[in-house]
Amino acid sequence: MFVLRKFVSAFIDHPKLLVGLVHGPCIGIAFTTMALYDVVYASDQATFHAPFTSLGLTPEGTSSYSFPKVMGPAKANEVLLLGKKLSAAEALECGFVTEVFPADTFEVETKRRLELLPKLAPISLKESKILIRSLDQAKLHKVNDLECKRLIGMWQGDECLSAAAKFLSRK
């Protein structure tokens, strides 16, 4: 569990701008840690899914805190508790992604935006990110610790083992 805790902590503490590009399915920890990114661009073919309860697991990647904060409690509960898969349009609507592009122009559009980043004042960018993240940073680490502890118990439980066996027996 130390590896997962450290992995998520790297996103929480990352000092530089984190930009996510999603051009297809974004599932599990890839989805949950995306709430820790500063900017997320998606193609209209992107989907976002956290199937925890169907796998006998609990949220990770600070999603139990960050999703309600970003999406609002109702949408976060639908995603985390009911396993609702979000389309790119739904993710944009609830504030999870910054912008959605048509799949056929995704690479060109995101490249154009990424090329603007080096033109930003680096110290200003870094200091601004510190200010934005500072109020939540300790809370995010606490949530990460709590989620990791819960996952240890879940991984050893019957629900998770049953879901894993069911998955492995699929043809």
Side-chain angles (χ1 to χ4, degrees):
M1 194 50 59
F2 173 74
V3 172
L4 178 60
R5 183 179 293 118
K6 189 173 178 179
F7 175 76
V8 173
S9 289
F11 288 94
I12 296 168
D13 294 331
H14 193 70
K16 296 182 180 179
L17 190 68
L18 280 172
V19 179
L21 304 176
V22 184
H23 195 26
C26 187
I27 302 168
I29 193 109
F31 177 26
T32 59
T33 54
M34 194 134 312
L36 299 170
Y37 283 51
D38 303 297
V39 178
V40 177
Y41 298 123
S43 83
D44 58 5
Q45 294 181 349
T47 58
F48 302 86
H49 194 206
F52 298 124
T53 54
S54 65
L55 299 174
L57 298 173
T58 53
E60 28 77 328
T62 75
S63 60
S64 64
Y65 175 75
S66 59
F67 278 24
K69 187 172 179 176
V70 171
M71 302 176 185
K75 184 57 73 180
N77 285 342
E78 187 177 31
V79 168
L80 294 173
L81 302 177
L82 304 180
K84 162 100 167 129
K85 184 187 296 186
L86 297 179
S87 67
E90 290 170 314
L92 178 65
E93 184 180 317
C94 72
F96 193 80
V97 301
T98 309
E99 200 166 353
V100 175
F101 303 101
D104 59 344
T105 63
F106 181 73
E107 189 175 334
V108 171
E109 292 293 340
T110 55
K111 184 178 181 188
R112 189 175 300 149
R113 279 151 182 81
L114 294 174
E115 288 171 344
L116 298 174
L117 297 181
K119 296 173 183 166
L120 299 173
I123 295 171
S124 174
L125 187 61
K126 182 180 177 185
E127 291 300 317
S128 295
K129 181 169 176 169
I130 288 169
L131 285 170
I132 292 166
R133 184 54 60 93
S134 66
L135 295 175
D136 280 339
Q137 197 163 11
K139 177 80 171 182
L140 288 166
H141 282 294
K142 185 175 180 178
V143 170
N144 186 29
D145 289 344
L146 179 62
E147 287 177 349
C148 286
K149 287 175 186 171
R150 292 281 165 101
L151 275 172
I152 290 171
M154 297 307 293
W155 283 336
Q156 299 167 349
D158 291 340
E159 287 181 348
C160 183
L161 294 174
S162 176
K166 183 178 177 182
F167 178 79
L168 292 173
S169 68
R170 292 186 323 175
K171 294 182 183 182

